[in-house]
Amino acid sequence: RQMCIRDRRRVHGIYKMLNRILGRNLGFLRRALWDKVQPAEMDSIITFQEKFKEDKDPQKVSLVRGVYRTNEEKPYLFKCVELAEKRMANSHLDKEYLPVDGEQNFVKAAKRLVFGDDFNTEKVATVQTLSGTGAVNLGLNFLYRFLPPETGYYIPDPSWPLHFSIAKEVGLRNIFTYPYYDNKKVALNFDGIKAKLLTLKPKSVVILHACAHNPTGIDPTPVQWKAIIDIVKEKKLLPFLDMAYQGFATGDFDRDASAVRLFAKEDVEMLVAQSFAKNAGLYGERIGALHFLCKSESVVKPILSQLKVMIRTSYSSNPMHGAKIVAQICENKELFEMWKEELKTVSGRIQEMRVQLSQKLGLLKTPGNWDHIRKQIGMFSYTGLTPSQCQKLIDKHHVYLLNNGRISITGINLKNIDYIAKSIHDVVINPQT
């Protein structure tokens, strides 16, 4: 028994000595491996979506999420997509890996859609990507690797939040903004854009929204685009155009690609991120493309080789199904014409909701001018509502929107538009209640 006590004392002495040597205590041995991992700050859109799901109010409305819904509040499956899938099923396609740079028929179709049938795409390096988000990520990763570390990256204020998140995530150091929106006029701050771009150093990267600017729904006019291009050429800037809504904005592929094609016509080197999430309803298929318009054909192969290495070491291969759907639609005249007609219908419904909401606020005599809702374009609208008004819409009326006043027009339909208009009217005229 005495030996047992001595052994315990000896062990306790060793334990104390180890404590002094290794630290104050040996708690680190019992500590969980990941206990230093802190909760990440969630994207505000996801946070609002979760709050909306938890809300039990029967009249609740979500104007947050950037996905199309019908008047019946249902997801829309494009008929051209449905037919393309049936044809693919009957052809018994295999499930082999795609080439690293993507489904080649899709790549060709994506180029034509962006640059037009008459454009010589020999100077364009294109790869399939994981939708538009993947295209932006891959493009910024490429620039991070091959442009000098001191390069400045300029993002419009405001912009799609992931432009900033991705830029930080890939390791870019010099991330700045340029003015885009005039809060007082609820309009494009074109003078601010020009003034800022004229101060930039050569080879600075400027992110631009090709059409249907997210979140404002405000695009430059063709004349303003030409002025922007002139400054880009004069200052030797590198534009990176994000085109998430081609065909979805106006129902016209060519009109929505007009800014990109103006840059191409002026032989401006640029990057273009392209998405088929909105314009084909292929949200979950993750289908997009990244295009580099180069000065010379000689650099296309080296750029492609580097992009393929980056894809290969990230996720090895792109998804097949959605890429083959898009290729099938673009290669078949009947399906392509059907796609164009469907996009006219979809964009037409969005525009009709814009007009009706603007009119209803006018009929209610809601203070302020609401014409900007009608004049803006695409999925989103900057309403001009203040953060406190937005919060009251959520708390009092269960109408969910971002606190910067951005709403997704696709969440408006014939069933809820009167309720939305009356709710907006109430928070504007009753700021204290």
Side-chain angles (χ1 to χ4, degrees), residues 32 66 74 104 108 129 148 172 177 184 211 233 258 272 303 324 341 360 365 382 384 389 392 405 424 426 430:
K74 302 292 185 184
Q104 293 306 296
K108 291 173 186 175
T129 60
L172 301 179
T177 61
K184 291 182 179 178
C211 63
K233 291 173 68 177
S258 60
V272 181
I303 288 174
K324 287 194 176 292
E341 289 303 312
K360 288 179 184 296
K365 296 186 172 11
Y382 242 32
Q389 289 169 338
K392 285 187 178 70
I424 292 173
D426 178 62
N430 298 307

Side-chain angles (χ1 to χ4, degrees), residues 40-91:
E41 185 177 341
M42 294 303 295
D43 186 316
S44 60
I45 293 173
I46 294 173
T47 302
F48 278 114
Q49 284 173 204
E50 290 175 351
K51 288 180 179 177
F52 175 77
K53 285 180 181 178
E54 294 168 1
D55 193 329
K56 304 302 181 185
D57 192 277
Q59 283 192 296
K60 69 177 182 177
V61 177
S62 176
L63 304 179
V64 174
R65 200 174 182 195
V67 293
Y68 182 77
R69 290 290 182 265
T70 65
N71 258 321
E72 293 71 40
E73 302 179 12
K74 302 292 185 184
Y76 180 68
L77 175 61
F78 280 74
K79 293 180 178 62
C80 60
V81 168
E82 197 172 7
L83 285 173
E85 285 189 305
K86 286 179 181 178
R87 294 184 184 193
M88 288 162 56
N90 291 333
S91 62

Side-chain angles (χ1 to χ4, degrees), residues 105-334:
N105 290 331
F106 164 79
V107 168
K108 291 173 186 175
K111 281 185 185 181
R112 287 197 306 272
L113 211 57
V114 171
F115 296 101
D117 292 329
D118 300 327
F119 188 78
N120 180 6
T121 57
E122 294 300 315
K123 294 192 296 183
V124 180
T126 299
V127 293
Q128 182 182 332
T129 60
L130 299 176
S131 202
T133 305
V136 172
N137 192 305
L138 184 62
L140 290 180
N141 248 310
F142 184 95
L143 298 179
Y144 171 74
R145 295 184 185 203
F146 294 101
L147 290 183
E150 64 272 14
T151 300
Y153 295 80
Y154 292 83
I155 301 172
D157 179 19
S159 191
W160 181 47
L162 283 185
H163 283 150
F164 297 96
S165 303
I166 294 170
K168 291 174 183 176
E169 191 66 27
V170 303
L172 301 179
R173 299 178 187 175
N174 305 309
I175 305 167
F176 307 102
T177 61
Y178 63 89
Y180 188 87
Y181 178 72
D182 188 323
N183 278 293
K184 291 182 179 178
K185 296 180 180 178
V186 196
L188 185 73
N189 185 357
F190 184 57
D191 290 337
I193 294 172
K194 289 192 298 180
K196 185 62 178 180
L197 295 186
L198 284 167
T199 68
L200 304 190
K201 295 178 181 178
K203 297 183 180 177
S204 295
V205 177
V206 181
I207 291 179
L208 298 158
H209 296 237
C211 63
H213 179 272
N214 176 7
T216 68
I218 302 169
D219 291 341
T221 66
V223 172
Q224 290 171 333
W225 272 121
K226 181 62 172 65
I228 290 170
I229 292 169
D230 289 342
I231 295 173
V232 165
K233 291 173 68 177
E234 177 191 339
K235 300 296 293 184
K236 296 181 173 57
L237 307 176
L238 177 60
F240 189 161
L241 283 90
D242 188 357
M243 187 160 65
Y245 303 100
Q246 186 186 9
F248 190 88
T250 66
D252 186 326
F253 285 123
D254 296 329
R255 182 177 171 186
D256 292 346
S258 60
V260 172
R261 294 177 188 178
L262 277 173
F263 277 98
K265 186 179 178 181
E266 294 288 332
D267 200 28
V268 176
E269 285 187 292
M270 63 176 167
L271 285 73
V272 181
Q274 181 184 20
S275 170
F276 291 88
K278 308 294 191 297
N279 63 9
L282 296 174
Y283 304 98
E285 300 291 352
R286 310 314 294 148
I287 303 302
L290 176 65
H291 309 269
F292 280 70
L293 177 57
C294 311
K295 283 287 187 186
S296 166
E297 290 181 33
S298 63
V299 299
V300 170
K301 284 188 177 179
I303 288 174
L304 277 174
S305 70
Q306 293 292 344
L307 290 170
K308 286 195 277 189
V309 167
M310 293 168 69
I311 291 170
R312 176 67 175 152
T313 54
S314 296
Y315 50 90
S316 190
S317 178
N318 279 289
M320 176 192 293
H321 190 71
K324 287 194 176 292
I325 289 172
V326 174
Q328 179 97 214
I329 292 170
C330 290
E331 290 170 355
N332 183 289
K333 187 176 180 181
E334 178 191 350

Side-chain angles (χ1 to χ4, degrees), residues 15-41:
Y15 180 82
K16 288 174 67 177
M17 181 180 69
L18 286 172
N19 267 338
R20 288 195 296 271
I21 295 171
L22 298 177
R24 291 183 178 178
N25 57 59
L26 293 177
F28 74 93
L29 294 174
R30 299 186 297 273
R31 195 180 300 150
L33 183 60
W34 306 117
D35 67 351
K36 288 189 177 181
V37 177
Q38 298 298 311
E41 185 177 341

Side-chain angles (χ1 to χ4, degrees), residues 319-390:
M320 176 192 293
H321 190 71
K324 287 194 176 292
I325 289 172
V326 174
Q328 179 97 214
I329 292 170
C330 290
E331 290 170 355
N332 183 289
K333 187 176 180 181
E334 178 191 350
L335 292 180
F336 189 69
E337 290 301 316
M338 185 184 294
W339 190 16
K340 291 197 290 185
E341 289 303 312
E342 287 186 271
L343 281 169
K344 288 177 185 176
T345 301
V346 166
S347 63
R349 191 190 90 74
I350 294 172
Q351 186 56 32
E352 178 60 25
M353 291 300 98
R354 286 184 175 280
V355 171
Q356 285 201 33
L357 181 59
S358 176
Q359 288 176 344
K360 288 179 184 296
L361 290 170
L363 290 170
L364 289 168
K365 296 186 172 11
T366 308
N369 187 330
W370 300 94
D371 285 347
H372 58 276
I373 294 176
R374 173 178 53 83
K375 293 176 182 177
Q376 291 165 3
I377 193 170
M379 180 174 282
F380 301 111
S381 174
Y382 242 32
T383 58
L385 294 170
T386 66
S388 62
Q389 289 169 338
C390 294

